[in-house]
Amino acid sequence: MNKKILFHLWAVILFFTLITIVKRAFSLNILVFWVGGLIGSFLPFLDHFIYIYFLKSEEQSSSQSPNLIFHTIYFQAIFLILTFLVVSSSSNLLGKGIVLAFSLSLLVDQLVDLLTVGNLTSWSPTMAIFTDKNKSTLYVLSLLAGVIFLAFFI
């Protein structure tokens, strides 16, 4: 299995375990939330699939492509708002699990980029604010706080 997929999976498992323990949700209903988490953790990889097979089929890898749809600051901002709406207003645990895991997976991708590249310019090449490591770190930490805050609505 790919290291990146395993890293995403472990991040979701750790995060969902913490949510389950803090919320003391030890019933069978929580399994639906976990299934949603597993589905949501793989959704960001659809972005690579769409790019490789539909947009640029002649290229073999989309890891450094600036044309990924989900891997942009703009998409993440809009999706975080949608995540808040789903998590705060829906009683569907599957949907809550999907959107939380999807947000967490995007956050993990940003964290990996921040640790390996030192900035988030690949997420928004037009915004100069993300060329600075300190500002990029602050952005990732604020997103982490946002995702943790959203977990309290479960």
Side-chain angles (χ1 to χ4, degrees):
M1 214 184 237
N2 191 350
K3 284 184 182 180
K4 190 174 184 179
I5 293 173
L6 282 175
F7 190 65
H8 279 263
L9 201 55
W10 278 112
V12 168
I13 289 171
L14 177 66
F15 188 67
F16 277 51
T17 300
L18 290 174
I19 292 172
T20 303
I21 291 170
V22 169
K23 293 299 222 173
R24 295 185 180 151
F26 300 113
S27 67
L28 288 178
N29 291 339
I30 201 69
L31 290 178
V32 175
F33 176 66
W34 276 80
V35 168
L38 292 175
I39 293 169
S41 67
F42 290 106
L43 285 179
F45 295 105
L46 281 178
D47 201 10
H48 298 278
F49 177 79
I50 291 169
Y51 182 78
I52 290 172
Y53 292 106
F54 296 108
L55 299 177
K56 297 287 183 183
S57 60
E58 67 274 359
E59 293 182 20
Q60 293 296 322
S61 174
S62 63
S63 61
Q64 297 298 324
S65 170
N67 297 325
L68 295 175
I69 300 165
F70 299 153
H71 291 77
T72 64
I73 298 294
Y74 309 113
F75 176 82
Q76 191 175 30
I78 292 169
F79 192 76
L80 208 55
I81 293 168
L82 292 174
T83 301
F84 173 74
L85 292 174
V86 169
V87 170
S88 65
S89 65
S90 175
S91 62
N92 186 343
L93 289 176
L94 180 71
K96 289 180 179 185
I98 289 171
V99 295
L100 267 178
F102 191 92
S103 293
L104 182 66
S105 290
L106 290 176
L107 179 66
V108 167
D109 279 343
Q110 283 185 336
L111 183 62
V112 167
D113 285 352
L114 184 63
L115 293 175
T116 56
V117 180
N119 58 39
L120 298 176
T121 54
S122 64
W123 287 75
S124 180
T126 59
M127 296 178 76
I129 190 171
F130 295 112
T131 59
D132 181 37
K133 185 174 184 169
N134 292 332
K135 291 178 182 175
S136 295
T137 303
L138 182 64
Y139 177 76
V140 169
L141 289 176
S142 65
L143 284 177
L144 178 62
V147 171
I148 290 171
F149 171 75
L150 291 173
F152 284 107
F153 286 102
I154 301 301

